[in-house]
Amino acid sequence: MTKRVHVETRINGREVDFLCEPGQSLLEVLRDQLHLTGAKEGCNNGNCGACTVILDGRIVDSCLVLAPEVEGREVTTIEGLAGPEHLHPLQQQFLEHAALQCGICTPGLIMAAKGLLDQNPAPTEEEIRLWLAGNLCRCTGYDKIIRAVQAAAQQMEARV
Amino acid sequence: MSSRAATPTPTALRWRPRSIEAFYRPLRRQLDHDSERCVQSQRGRPRPFLPRAVTRGGQIGVGESMRRFGYLAPKSVSEAVSVLAEHANVAKLVAGGTDLVVQMKDGVRRPQVVIDITGIDELRTLEERDDGLHLGALVRMGEIENHPLIIEKYPVLVDSAKLVGSKQVRNLATIAGNTCNASPGADTPPALIALDAQVHTLGPTGPRVVPIDQFFVGPGRTVLEPGELVTKFVVRKAAPNEGAYYERHTPRKELDIAVVGVGAWVRLNGETIEDARIGIAAVYPTPLRATDAEAALRGKPFGQAALDAAAAAAVAQSRPISDVRGSAEFRRWLVDVLTRRAVTNAVARARGGGPRAGETH
């Protein structure tokens, strides 16, 4: 019964196709086949948010998406956030505010924060905290992360 | 108030280790077990460390148990029904995947065929028609919480949908998935019960309509026949003298599962509660429709006496269990408190005030 599935999709603005087992998650394909290792595997069951990517403009846990489901859709990972020449304001501000220690949760947090700022360019602290509730950080603590997101929002507002 | 006063202070955590060593013993046992298994796997072929979740059951490799199934992606409802009928007893539908994918990874469900219905646009309807609000099976929690019409006229749906998982989960999880997974503790069923939603299904024998309070038969089990799928939910059009509200208790604000959740709907005639419906999560093998509590409200003026009677009736109808989230006693106490709150806020909304959609804490 099991047959590999051919999937055509767009990842970080480029047409991509791959063969996968039906039971592979998007996260596994991103990391193991496409070598986009930015998205991390944390809990692998939708609790920690380390694998957050943007799917058709909405943040999702890529460990909960079956790889064949992304046929014809658009995926953005942390690798597609900014070009090779510069950092995205969120990346810049995470560095400025030392909003990471071990870094495992960081790609997920940045992608989740991008999803927030795309919808709401000037979120309140409470809005940021609630939005990022699905991203667990076990070493930095959330305060620096919240401040980095606020600073990135200001930086992006100023640029517009 | 007597029922509340009589209930002793709840104690959720019964285990009181006598020493710090005793406290850590189970954790150490688990760690020893995991590291042993990791070493074993490396004798065969070198592998990086894998978390326990993916090595469970002696299986090595991420989602190894998930690999062996066929995958079908029908593009229309009629095609979905025919492929589902063909594989009726061995197939599972995947809509959002936030329950099924996790269950497959854990080996709880092992379907031979997975039918991905996410590409069926017919199932994404979200509009108000003459007969009420039509919510397609694939409407996501994230869509409900942001939809201006739902926020304005059906805020109880926002109250409940906004509590499911995280933002990332709500952008995947669907209303039909939350219903068909049939968890007794799910948040949207009590809201749907409060609104008297009608579940529209389609199967090999044709379409049928099942009232939501008759849809569930047990934990994880519904009235759906093999080969039958949910196409949409229809909720009667909201009227100005009606209001509904859902609130749950959880230790953590987000990403938690209800210890108890109560959804209430009322229709007022002046000060009198003309009609009421109450749905309760996590106190019964299915989402519970608290018919006795409804009867206690019907035709009564809104006030302390009506609330006392409804709360007592709701407690009496609950059959909670004690588990990791709370003891049966604690749950009964929560049913009492949350029924009062839900009815009070539903009445406030019926009067044009009350909490804003989704602001339930």
Side-chain angles (χ1 to χ4, degrees):
Chain A
M1 210 45 230
T2 302
K3 248 167 65 179
R4 292 218 282 174
V5 186
H6 180 235
V7 179
E8 289 180 38
T9 184
R10 268 178 90 79
I11 297 178
N12 297 333
R14 287 168 54 191
E15 304 288 338
V16 174
D17 71 322
F18 56 82
L19 270 179
C20 68
E21 305 270 349
Q24 276 181 292
S25 67
L26 173 60
L27 176 65
E28 286 176 68
V29 169
L30 287 174
R31 291 182 56 85
D32 300 346
Q33 270 169 260
L34 304 174
H35 307 295
L36 294 168
T37 53
K40 299 290 185 271
E41 183 191 317
C43 65
N44 207 18
N45 62 18
N47 275 295
C48 77
C51 64
T52 302
V53 301
I54 297 180
L55 177 61
D56 289 346
R58 301 182 320 263
I59 57 167
V60 299
D61 290 323
S62 61
C63 72
L64 295 180
V65 177
L66 294 177
E69 282 184 61
V70 301
E71 169 74 37
R73 300 171 76 180
E74 172 122 30
V75 181
T76 309
T77 69
I78 186 83
E79 287 89 346
L81 190 61
E85 308 299 322
H86 63 282
L87 294 175
H88 186 275
L90 277 164
Q91 293 170 314
Q92 188 63 48
Q93 294 300 338
F94 266 64
L95 286 175
E96 301 289 343
H97 287 78
L100 68 159
Q101 285 187 45
C102 85
I104 287 281
C105 69
T106 311
L109 272 161
I110 289 183
M111 294 314 280
K114 178 171 191 314
L116 171 62
L117 298 185
D118 284 349
Q119 251 186 39
N120 180 356
T124 64
E125 178 177 339
E126 194 188 353
E127 284 169 336
I128 299 173
R129 285 185 185 273
L130 285 175
W131 185 285
L132 297 181
N135 292 79
L136 301 183
C137 166
R138 299 287 85 163
C139 55
T140 309
Y142 298 99
D143 251 45
K144 290 175 170 182
I145 293 169
I146 306 300
R147 269 180 252 144
V149 175
Q150 285 172 322
Q154 280 165 13
Q155 189 186 334
M156 287 161 78
E157 283 276 84
R159 195 178 287 179
V160 174
Chain B
M1 295 306 290
S2 60
S3 62
R4 203 192 295 189
T7 312
T9 313
T11 46
L13 187 66
R14 293 256 167 84
W15 182 52
R16 295 218 168 75
R18 288 208 193 96
S19 64
I20 197 75
E21 286 77 24
F23 181 81
Y24 280 113
R25 206 170 293 134
L27 178 66
R28 182 159 321 130
R29 218 175 282 147
Q30 185 63 57
L31 288 173
D32 290 348
H33 179 73
D34 285 355
S35 52
E36 174 60 22
R37 193 175 270 173
C38 193
V39 170
Q40 280 173 1
S41 75
Q42 281 174 352
R43 277 181 204 131
R45 43 189 170 145
R47 282 197 158 273
F49 173 76
L50 291 164
R52 192 178 67 90
V54 298
T55 57
R56 192 175 299 162
Q59 281 172 338
I60 307 299
V62 179
E64 201 76 59
S65 64
M66 261 178 51
R67 291 286 151 72
R68 297 177 201 98
F69 59 78
Y71 173 84
L72 299 163
K75 287 283 170 267
S76 69
V77 177
S78 51
E79 195 190 337
V81 170
S82 71
V83 295
L84 184 57
E86 194 183 326
H87 305 282
N89 294 310
V90 295
K92 285 299 288 182
L93 293 177
V94 62
T98 56
D99 285 312
L100 181 70
V101 170
V102 175
Q103 289 162 359
M104 290 195 300
K105 285 182 186 184
D106 286 351
V108 178
R109 290 192 196 273
R110 298 169 186 272
Q112 288 171 33
V113 179
V114 166
I115 301 173
D116 173 4
I117 56 172
T118 54
I120 305 178
D121 290 337
E122 299 162 68
L123 297 176
R124 297 200 179 278
T125 332
L126 202 182
E127 59 182 358
E128 196 173 39
R129 297 184 193 162
D130 292 341
D131 61 338
L133 178 70
H134 288 237
L135 280 172
L138 294 182
V139 169
R140 288 179 289 259
M141 301 297 161
E143 289 173 79
I144 292 175
E145 69 180 297
N146 289 318
H147 199 280
L149 174 82
I150 299 182
I151 291 172
E152 191 199 327
K153 296 181 75 176
Y154 306 91
V156 67
L157 292 174
V158 180
D159 299 341
S160 59
K162 212 172 179 173
L163 293 170
V164 175
S166 63
K167 202 84 202 168
Q168 288 92 324
V169 167
R170 294 197 293 276
N171 279 337
L172 292 166
T174 63
I175 185 86
N178 200 228
T179 306
C180 294
N181 189 53
S183 161
D187 289 306
T188 56
L192 292 170
I193 288 173
L195 293 178
D196 196 23
Q198 304 296 307
V199 188
H200 290 238
T201 74
L202 188 62
T205 55
R208 64 173 172 149
V209 180
V210 185
I212 185 79
D213 58 346
Q214 290 162 35
F215 185 75
F216 306 100
V217 293
R221 287 171 47 228
T222 68
V223 295
L224 287 179
E225 301 285 343
E228 191 178 14
L229 62 85
V230 171
T231 54
K232 65 180 172 188
F233 300 81
V234 178
V235 171
R236 254 181 333 100
K237 226 174 190 174
N241 57 339
E242 297 172 359
Y245 176 86
Y246 175 79
E247 183 174 328
R248 72 176 188 188
H249 173 77
T250 49
R252 194 190 169 198
K253 228 177 176 185
E254 299 267 318
L255 274 111
D256 210 334
I257 294 173
V259 182
V260 169
V262 178
W265 169 91
V266 296
R267 182 165 65 224
L268 297 181
N269 184 356
E271 282 305 294
T272 306
I273 299 172
E274 203 172 77
D275 200 1
R277 261 190 311 276
I278 294 175
I280 310 184
V283 295
Y284 204 74
T286 63
L288 172 67
R289 180 171 172 198
T291 44
D292 296 347
E294 298 170 5
L297 292 170
R298 217 165 277 136
K300 303 282 173 6
F302 172 67
Q304 197 60 46
L307 286 179
D308 288 347
V315 172
Q317 227 179 331
S318 303
R319 296 279 176 274
I321 56 166
S322 296
D323 67 9
V324 65
R325 277 181 254 286
S327 66
E329 289 160 68
F330 183 37
R331 285 193 156 106
R332 271 190 283 270
W333 183 75
L334 283 172
V335 169
D336 183 285
V337 173
L338 293 176
T339 301
R340 293 164 193 274
R341 273 192 214 167
V343 173
T344 305
N345 284 316
V347 168
R349 279 183 176 167
R351 289 171 173 164
R356 288 197 295 171
E359 295 195 351
T360 60
H361 279 277

